[in-house]
């Protein structure tokens, strides 16, 4: 149920990013903090399902090579999962750097298929701006998601308890 | 000698006469300013003034309070009317702009001899790196992969994915897009390719080719995607490298890709 909510949240983000928000300026891909959050808070099997579906949707809507978004989110999910075993992922500075690196990595993946002269046209300033903005806002988004997660867990537990009483 | 009753009557008549005489005398000296008058006025008038002012103040508060309430209501009503009028105005303006755009589309439609299908942009590319849009016409309306998409300004791109009710259009400014094009004035041929900016590169233009800034670039029709003669853009930058066979040319598309709303899909 919780995963469904995060899927809806991701879908809403995609809708916003493909209609009202333009990711040309300072705004970065807001699904990245969500993927990081899912990686930190859900078991591999469950979390990856949502991540893959969101990646697929992004791939379908985007003009990118099919599977590029899917791969990016997939690897972010797995990398964060791996890092969470070695580092204190609750640290704000660590989260900030983590999201910044993810955004930078995503841009790197996007410009990777560029050929020779095309690489010269890669706009460095927006990429750097987005990375800095992601580093500044990413931990905040993660905090919001975590607060939502705690409330959601409590609500689910309450619901389950009530259901148990009703069955008895 | 006189009865008491007669004495009373005479007394009254006498008082009346005295009164009349005194009034007659007083009538000759009107607006006297005696000390008594002044004292009385000095003592009473301030009190009167105070009372009158208090009354007036209270009355004013009362009247103005209700007046303000009424004024406030009136103001709210007028504000509502203005807001409605603004919405109405905006709607008319939007209709006017839509009419203008549709008129331009109709003009294009009459200019292009092919069967054309109008469509609207419903979604943009989620990344800033790729340039695609989603339109609200798909296979249901006859749209299929590879069809050219144009706007009043010129070529927009071509369909790269057709679904039942929607289609994905690759814009000419995307780095994966390429159009066989020629310079309208000199017929120099080349390939217009997109890059990550809002401009395109015009590749394979020979060093000796006669081109200048402002020259219009049109589709050659040789790529099998776009009909011949559709406007692509104008040459905005030319540089001739010291070595190499070709010039480096940039083309500014006629279509404003940041404001794409209505498009035309060339069905044939």
């Amino acid at each position: 149920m919780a995963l469904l909510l995060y899927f809806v949240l991701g879908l809403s983000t995609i809708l916003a990013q493909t209609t009202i928000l333009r990711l040309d300026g300072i705004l970065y891909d807001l699904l990245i903090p969500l993927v990081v959050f899912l990686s930190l808070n859900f078991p591999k099997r469950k979390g990856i399902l949502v991540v893959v579906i969101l990646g697929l949707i992004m791939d379908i809507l985007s003009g990118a090579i099919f599977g590029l978004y899917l791969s990016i989110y997939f690897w972010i999910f797995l990398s964060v999962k791996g890092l969470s075993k070695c580092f204190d992922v609750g640290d704000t500075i660590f989260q900030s750097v983590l999201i910044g690196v993810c955004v930078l990595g995503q841009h790197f993946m996007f410009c990777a298929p560029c050929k020779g002269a095309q690489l010269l046209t890669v706009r460095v300033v927006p990429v750097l701006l987005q990375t800095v903005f992601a580093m500044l806002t990413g931990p905040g988004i993660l905090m919001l998601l975590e607060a939502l997660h705690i409330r959601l867990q409590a609500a689910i537990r309450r619901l389950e308890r009530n259901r148990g009483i009703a069955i008895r | 000698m006189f009865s008491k009753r007669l004495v009373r009557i005479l007394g009254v008549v006498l008082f009346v006469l005295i009164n009349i005489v005194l009034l007659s005398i007083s009538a000759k000296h009107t607006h006297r300013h005696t000390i008594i008058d002044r004292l009385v006025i000095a003592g009473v008038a301030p009190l009167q003034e105070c009372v009158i002012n208090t009354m007036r103040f209270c009355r004013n508060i009362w009247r103005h309070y209700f007046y303000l309430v009424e004024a406030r209501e009136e103001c709210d009503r007028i504000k509502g009317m203005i807001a409605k009028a603004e919405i109405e105005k905006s709607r008319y303006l939007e209709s006017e702009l839509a009419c203008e755009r549709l008129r331009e589309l109709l003009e294009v439609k009459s200019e292009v001899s092919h069967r054309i299908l109008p469509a609207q942009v419903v979604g943009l590319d989620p990344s800033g790196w790729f340039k695609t849009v989603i339109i609200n016409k798909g296979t249901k309306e006859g749209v299929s992969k590879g069809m050219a998409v144009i706007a009043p300004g010129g070529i927009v791109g071509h369909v790269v994915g057709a679904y039942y009710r929607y289609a994905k259009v690759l814009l000419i400014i995307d780095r994966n897009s390429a159009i066989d094009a020629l310079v309208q004035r000199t017929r120099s041929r080349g390939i217009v390719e997109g890059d990550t900016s809002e401009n395109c590169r015009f590749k394979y233009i020979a060093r000796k080719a006669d081109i200048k800034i402002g020259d219009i670039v049109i589709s050659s029709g040789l790529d099998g995607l776009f009909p011949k003669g559709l406007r692509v853009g104008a040459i905005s930058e030319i540089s001739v490298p010291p070595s190499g066979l070709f010039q480096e040319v940039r083309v500014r598309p006629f279509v404003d890709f940041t404001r794409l709303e209505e498009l035309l899909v060339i069905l044939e």
Side-chain angles (χ1 to χ4, degrees):
Chain A
M1 187 169 163
L3 272 174
L4 188 72
L5 183 100
Y6 292 114
F7 171 70
V8 172
L9 193 67
L11 200 63
S12 312
T13 310
I14 293 174
L15 285 178
Q17 284 184 172
T18 53
T19 50
I20 46 174
L21 301 175
R22 286 219 165 218
L23 303 186
D24 269 350
I26 198 168
L27 205 62
Y28 58 97
D29 184 0
L30 294 172
L31 279 181
I32 289 178
L34 184 68
V35 172
V36 171
F37 168 78
L38 289 172
S39 177
L40 294 176
N41 292 281
F42 284 91
K44 218 181 272 179
R45 280 186 190 173
K46 281 185 177 176
I48 213 142
L49 186 74
V50 177
V51 169
V52 166
I53 296 171
L54 291 176
L56 268 174
I57 295 170
M58 282 293 269
D59 273 325
I60 291 164
L61 294 175
S62 156
I65 303 161
F66 188 78
L68 192 60
Y69 274 102
L70 177 59
S71 313
I72 292 168
Y73 295 152
F74 181 81
W75 286 114
I76 287 176
F77 184 88
L78 287 187
S79 310
V80 174
K81 203 76 176 158
L83 285 173
S84 65
K85 287 172 188 165
C86 316
F87 296 96
D88 173 22
V89 285
D91 183 44
T92 310
I93 296 169
F94 182 79
Q95 287 177 349
S96 170
V97 175
L98 186 68
I99 290 178
V101 169
C102 288
V103 170
L104 202 62
Q106 189 188 41
H107 284 300
F108 178 74
M109 291 283 278
F110 283 146
C111 70
C114 286
K115 295 168 277 179
Q118 281 180 336
L119 273 173
L120 299 172
T121 61
V122 170
R123 288 163 300 162
V124 179
V125 178
V127 172
L128 291 177
L129 272 176
Q130 284 186 19
T131 308
V132 172
F133 191 59
M135 289 177 79
L136 292 173
T137 56
I141 295 173
L142 280 184
M143 262 186 250
L144 278 174
L145 287 170
E146 266 156 30
L148 178 78
H149 186 64
I150 290 164
R151 288 192 175 195
L152 193 73
Q153 295 287 74
I156 290 169
R157 241 175 276 134
R158 213 179 305 129
L159 202 74
E160 279 170 358
R161 210 182 305 134
N162 289 348
R163 201 180 290 165
I165 290 166
I167 288 165
R168 255 181 266 156
Chain B
M1 199 170 88
F2 300 104
S3 67
K4 276 186 181 177
R5 194 179 168 197
L6 187 64
V7 170
R8 274 182 197 164
I9 290 166
L10 283 174
V12 169
V13 170
L14 190 67
F15 269 115
V16 169
L17 285 173
I18 289 167
N19 198 356
I20 289 166
V21 170
L22 286 175
L23 282 173
S24 303
I25 294 163
S26 172
K28 283 184 181 175
H29 305 278
T30 51
H31 304 296
R32 289 175 313 159
H33 294 288
T34 60
I35 191 156
I36 298 162
D37 294 334
R38 282 182 215 147
L39 280 173
V40 171
I41 293 292
V44 175
L47 292 175
Q48 282 179 317
E49 192 186 5
C50 186
V51 171
I52 288 291
N53 282 347
T54 310
M55 287 296 290
R56 199 171 288 159
F57 178 72
C58 292
R59 198 166 55 218
N60 281 349
I61 286 178
W62 189 255
R63 278 184 187 165
H64 283 157
Y65 172 73
F66 280 108
Y67 175 74
L68 279 178
V69 168
E70 275 177 22
R72 183 74 221 176
E73 282 169 357
E74 185 76 7
C75 185
D76 288 344
R77 204 171 56 80
I78 289 168
K79 270 185 183 172
M81 280 166 70
I82 289 171
K84 267 186 194 168
E86 285 288 331
I87 293 166
E88 201 97 316
K89 187 184 158 194
S90 166
R91 219 168 50 207
Y92 286 139
L93 197 69
E94 196 55 36
S95 305
E96 196 186 329
L97 291 172
C99 270
E100 190 67 25
R101 287 199 306 270
L102 293 172
R103 194 174 57 78
E104 282 174 8
L105 278 177
L106 269 176
E107 277 171 17
V108 175
K109 204 173 172 178
S110 59
E111 280 169 17
V112 179
S113 54
H114 303 82
R115 205 154 64 85
I116 269 172
L117 177 75
Q120 272 194 323
V121 174
V122 292
L124 308 167
D125 198 286
S127 80
W129 289 88
F130 306 96
K131 310 287 180 186
T132 57
V133 291
I134 308 283
I135 56 169
N136 65 347
K137 293 284 154 57
T139 50
K140 187 187 165 197
E141 287 86 9
V143 176
S144 65
K145 198 175 170 182
M147 283 179 171
V149 180
I150 58 170
I155 293 178
V156 171
H158 69 278
V159 177
V160 286
Y163 312 99
Y164 185 61
R165 284 185 58 210
Y166 300 97
K168 196 197 286 179
V169 177
L170 183 76
L171 306 181
I172 58 166
I173 51 170
D174 187 278
R175 63 190 185 206
N176 296 314
S177 163
I179 306 170
D180 197 301
L182 47 89
V183 179
Q184 197 170 36
R185 186 174 61 86
T186 61
R187 317 310 282 180
S188 303
R189 256 186 76 196
I191 304 285
V192 174
E193 275 188 0
D195 60 27
T196 43
S197 70
E198 294 293 312
N199 287 334
C200 299
R201 282 177 295 124
F202 196 13
K203 290 172 81 178
Y204 312 118
I205 293 289
R207 278 179 83 87
K208 287 181 182 174
D210 170 29
I211 54 165
K212 60 182 183 188
I213 289 172
D215 273 350
I216 290 170
V217 178
I218 56 168
S219 57
S220 70
L222 295 171
D223 51 18
L225 279 177
F226 300 96
K228 190 177 179 177
L230 293 177
R231 283 151 53 97
V232 178
I235 293 175
S236 60
E237 207 181 309
I238 303 168
S239 64
V240 186
S243 60
L245 294 169
F246 309 110
Q247 302 183 48
E248 281 174 9
V249 185
R250 293 185 78 79
V251 172
R252 181 176 291 279
F254 288 125
V255 176
D256 183 357
F257 291 97
T258 57
R259 292 179 189 171
L260 278 182
E261 281 181 73
E262 285 96 11
L263 308 171
L264 293 171
V265 183
I266 300 178
L267 293 176
E268 288 167 347

